[in-house]
Amino acid sequence: MSRDSNYDHHISIFSPQGRLYQMEYAFKAASSASGLTGVSLRGQNSCAVVTQKKIPDRLMDPKSVTHLFSITPSIGCLATGRIADCKSQVQRARYEAAEYKYKYGYTIPVHVLAKRIADIAQVNTQSASMRPLATVCILIGVDDEKGPQVFKVDCAGHFLPFFGTASGAKEQEAVNFLEKRVGDMKGYSADETVRTAIMCLGSVLGSDFRGNEIEVGMVEGKNGRFTVLTEEQVEAHLNAIADTDA
């Protein structure tokens, strides 16, 4: 038995090396529990999220299985990890967004919502009677002042803005793909943004998709709403990618 095995019984105990093992386990669960990979990036005036869609049971209604959620009409969320934890965090995010609009009279900005969700997640790391949520949230929206925004919030309470990011099982491979294109992202149109995200996901998974095997969400323009693309719209993007490759 390792010397550090006694330091993972509670979330509030540091090991002699300064590690919180329970948080490391939470990160592991958030990245691998669902087995899915999600990708997000922002373009000139839009941002998009793409993730796999796996139906665990053929008897289930496919419409009931999703990892893309609308927080407000203009802010979307991709949540990867344990689905029950994802839905709990999404519900809290919706509450915080509604509370903000009631208090101040306007829709919560993406960066403010990301900070609030991260603060709540961080509180769960402070007490032995709490459990961090095994989920990583990517929030997207187009801000009136700052333009397109992509924020990633993890289970420890970090929140950071990104030009492009990924979460889930193949996160590192997706990040490597996006890093090669980061210089061009600021000039991407809405279609280019969506297609680059789909190409990234296809590249790291090493497979071609059908329209019902991935989920795509996007926000376009300052007054844009978060929309989840239909299967037909996804197929149109996939065909455009195939034509480009050909």
Side-chain angles (χ1 to χ4, degrees):
M1 185 177 290
S2 71
R3 168 180 183 210
D4 289 344
S5 62
N6 294 325
Y7 295 97
D8 64 356
H9 296 172
H10 294 288
I11 197 167
S12 53
I13 297 176
F14 286 96
S15 77
Q17 286 74 37
R19 297 166 66 178
L20 283 173
Y21 286 101
Q22 289 280 348
M23 283 312 304
E24 293 180 21
Y25 301 157
F27 274 98
K28 182 71 173 175
S31 65
S32 61
S34 64
L36 305 179
T37 301
V39 177
S40 177
L41 66 148
R42 68 193 214 206
Q44 185 175 12
N45 197 35
S46 62
C47 36
V49 286
V50 179
T51 187
Q52 298 164 266
K53 183 170 185 174
K54 291 182 180 178
I55 313 301
D57 191 329
R58 293 176 63 185
L59 295 174
M60 289 179 69
D61 181 357
K63 294 178 182 176
S64 67
V65 178
T66 183
H67 281 265
L68 296 184
F69 304 92
S70 175
I71 306 299
T72 71
S74 58
I75 298 177
C77 173
L78 163 62
T80 54
R82 303 192 73 86
I83 189 62
D85 287 4
C86 293
K87 290 187 174 181
S88 174
Q89 192 162 62
V90 166
Q91 192 68 20
R92 182 58 186 266
R94 287 171 175 165
Y95 167 80
E96 295 295 336
E99 184 77 5
Y100 187 96
K101 185 161 188 179
Y102 178 78
K103 269 186 182 179
Y104 302 109
Y106 63 96
T107 303
I108 189 169
V110 183
H111 67 279
V112 177
L113 179 61
K115 182 180 187 304
R116 179 61 183 151
I117 295 303
D119 287 346
I120 295 167
Q122 203 280 328
V123 168
N124 291 339
T125 71
Q126 296 178 6
S127 172
S129 62
M130 292 181 175
R131 176 177 75 78
L133 297 176
T135 177
V136 174
C137 280
I138 298 176
L139 299 171
I140 66 167
V142 180
D143 191 79
D144 290 342
E145 299 175 357
K146 299 184 177 183
Q149 299 281 287
V150 172
F151 275 86
K152 185 175 179 179
V153 184
D154 65 27
C155 39
H158 296 111
F159 77 103
L160 293 167
F162 289 88
F163 293 114
T165 189
S167 62
K170 297 286 184 74
E171 176 182 347
Q172 190 55 54
E173 292 91 329
V175 168
N176 293 340
F177 180 98
L178 294 173
E179 283 177 349
K180 297 173 185 175
R181 291 161 175 76
V182 68
D184 301 326
M185 287 181 187
K186 292 181 182 178
Y188 280 173
S189 66
D191 285 345
E192 288 174 320
T193 303
V194 171
R195 289 169 192 170
T196 302
I198 294 174
M199 286 165 57
C200 176
L201 191 61
S203 173
V204 300
L205 297 174
S207 62
D208 295 326
F209 303 114
R210 294 200 300 270
N212 62 349
E213 293 176 339
I214 58 173
E215 294 183 284
V216 182
M218 66 178 297
V219 182
E220 181 180 3
K222 290 185 178 179
N223 298 316
R225 300 172 73 88
F226 175 72
T227 55
V228 178
L229 273 57
T230 63
E231 283 186 26
E232 292 75 19
Q233 290 172 314
V234 174
E235 283 287 0
H237 283 295
L238 291 172
N239 292 335
I241 292 169
D243 292 343
T244 303
D245 292 343

